[in-house]
Amino acid sequence: MTFEQLIPAPARAEAPGGDGFVLDASTTLWAGPGTQSTEQWLRGTLGGALRVPLAPGAEGAPGSVALRLDSALEAEAYRLTVSGDGVEIRGGTAAGVFWGAQTLRQLLGAAAFRRAPIAPGREYTVPRGVIEDAPRFGWRGLMLDVSRHFTPKEGVLRYLDLLAAHKLNVFHFHLTDDQGWRLEIKRYPKLTEVGAWRSRTKWGHRQSQLWDEKPHGGFYTQDDIREIVAYAESLHITVVPEIDIPGHSQAAIAAYPELGNTDVIDTSALGVWDTWGVTPNVLAPNDHTLRFYEGVFEEVLELFPSTFIHVGGDECPKEQWKDSAAAQARIEELGVSNEDELQSWFIRHFDKWLSARGRRLIGWDEILEGGLAEGAAVSSWRGYSGGIAAAQAGHDVVMCPEQHVYLDHRQHGGPDEPVPIGWVRTLEDVYRFEPVPAQLGAEEAKHVLGTQANVWTEVMESHGRVDYQVFPRLAAFAEVAWRTLPAPAERDFADFERRMTAHYARLDALGVDYRPPGGPLPWQQRPGVGGRPIEGLPPMV
């Protein structure tokens, strides 16, 4: 393995040639203060894959891997130095050391990505040289929807490993939606007793006539969440939870009908939604709903140390509020002009509530409608425009426009793509995504915290289907999020494709069911299951 096969490609790499460092059973590991998480990861993950014990060694001893913090480096920056005598990884923080260790893993070849050695007793040579690297963005994320199709805890832990292997550091955990509530809330047990289960599931796009008649569901206990958060922390990944309000809430209303607009419909007749799209059944904008969700968020804050708490705020139809005498009375009482401003009031309430507890609200770009709460941040998904407006108004932004980084969209226009959704977004399209729009000035661009790819799982019924949609495109996204690249048209996609040859072998070793470059394999196809392909290029809005 060489420096020219790394993904993301580092900012600077010097490979003078000559003998590299041989990693074998005699190699020791010295970990300086503050590097214990990487020390444990190297022994458990890398040592387990290669069957090298990495026994504790003395500082400066030949034949060792050394880990140390270096305050001269930026927070997540690292310097990896390989000589014939050993390996040294310096990081500006513990996270920087960890990202350097991820680079070391890639340099050791695909065998380093397995759980156990396939050739015990081998020696592994790390090429001689120096790599200096640092991320462009502090927010490099993946959003995984576990509401539409539930991902068991082991699958979530697996995806955290995959994020870490690509130097991504934010896991946006979409935990609630119309089709299922996935988080145990002890004061409201029906949220999981009722809200975590639906009786059947639409098979394919919502216009499909096919159904999977088996009940579907699941949820994470609070101890599961503590385990997930602790594991993510060991990988220097922040877990950002999402509790969707006031739309996308039918599962919660099915569990507690009083949360809905009871003067408009019989909410006691609602079940957890079994199809896709946007349901009209949204939360009632009253004090009881506010108190209920304050109780939910109190438990959320106990479980998730993330500064940011995502509240959704997207796709909230206003028809029930327009027809509800109670909602109209609330509009008059508050002195707001319309239903959009009523939603803004709802979101502002939780912005203040979270701020009072030292947290920050983030929501999808619909929270801009009716006025954005002071201090709130925006996930710009409908395009660039919401993020541009938010940044120009002084709000922080995470760029995740569906036209570029919605990985549920199809990867090819061929007839064999499984349940084709949306526009064609190829590996090259993702590689040419630019998170910071040209319309932002230098100061405004500082409000772009970073970027994330989003994975909505309506038509992804298994981890294999999720893998197929996410990979290999997440590798291209990871390089975009990590590196400062040339303008999109000037990027060397041919070089990235060349490096992907080595990366496919790493994904194979990790057991990732990615889309092969030549198209889906027979078992990856879904013949006869309709999707919703959109022809042509997506609008750049």
Side-chain angles (χ1 to χ4, degrees), residues 37-54 98 101-102 105 108 111-117 161 164-165 231 234-235 510:
S37 60
T38 303
E39 176 188 18
Q40 292 169 1
W41 182 86
L42 283 170
R43 287 206 177 98
T45 301
L46 203 60
L50 306 179
R51 197 167 290 173
V52 291
L54 296 174
F98 183 70
Q102 293 295 337
R105 186 190 197 186
L108 287 164
F113 290 80
R114 296 189 176 276
R115 290 182 181 267
D161 283 332
Y231 189 68
S234 76
L235 302 176
L510 287 165

Side-chain angles (χ1 to χ4, degrees), residues 412-418 420 520 525 527:
H412 192 274
D416 294 329
E417 291 301 309
Q525 300 170 20

Side-chain angles (χ1 to χ4, degrees), residues 160-206:
L160 291 172
D161 283 332
L162 293 173
L163 264 64
H166 292 82
K167 298 187 174 75
L168 298 174
N169 68 344
V170 175
F171 180 63
H172 176 167
F173 207 2
H174 183 80
L175 288 162
T176 73
D177 217 296
D178 301 307
Q179 295 86 0
W181 183 285
R182 306 295 178 214
L183 174 64
E184 178 188 28
I185 300 296
K186 291 187 180 295
R187 74 188 70 185
Y188 304 130
K190 290 182 182 179
L191 285 172
T192 46
E193 291 172 0
V194 175
W197 308 93
R198 59 178 182 261
S199 60
R200 63 176 187 168
T201 298
K202 176 66 73 173
W203 179 231
H205 184 255
R206 60 180 175 270

Side-chain angles (χ1 to χ4, degrees), residues 202-211 275-276 419 528-531:
K202 176 66 73 173
W203 179 231
H205 184 255
R206 60 180 175 270
Q207 295 176 350
S208 165
Q209 300 303 306
L210 303 175
W211 293 89
T275 189
W276 317 124
V419 199
V529 182

Side-chain angles (χ1 to χ4, degrees), residues 72-114:
L73 297 175
E74 297 175 26
E76 290 189 88
Y78 68 88
R79 181 184 295 117
L80 172 65
T81 306
V82 183
S83 69
D85 291 332
V87 175
E88 181 188 65
I89 303 173
R90 292 175 177 260
T93 60
V97 175
F98 183 70
W99 305 132
Q102 293 295 337
T103 298
L104 173 63
R105 186 190 197 186
Q106 289 197 19
L107 291 172
L108 287 164
F113 290 80
R114 296 189 176 276

Side-chain angles (χ1 to χ4, degrees), residues 290-310:
L290 297 181
R291 301 292 89 75
F292 183 97
Y293 274 88
E294 286 172 359
V296 169
F297 282 116
E298 282 177 6
E299 296 192 27
V300 167
L301 298 191
E302 292 173 0
L303 295 168
F304 295 94
S306 166
T307 298
F308 286 98
I309 303 296
H310 208 292

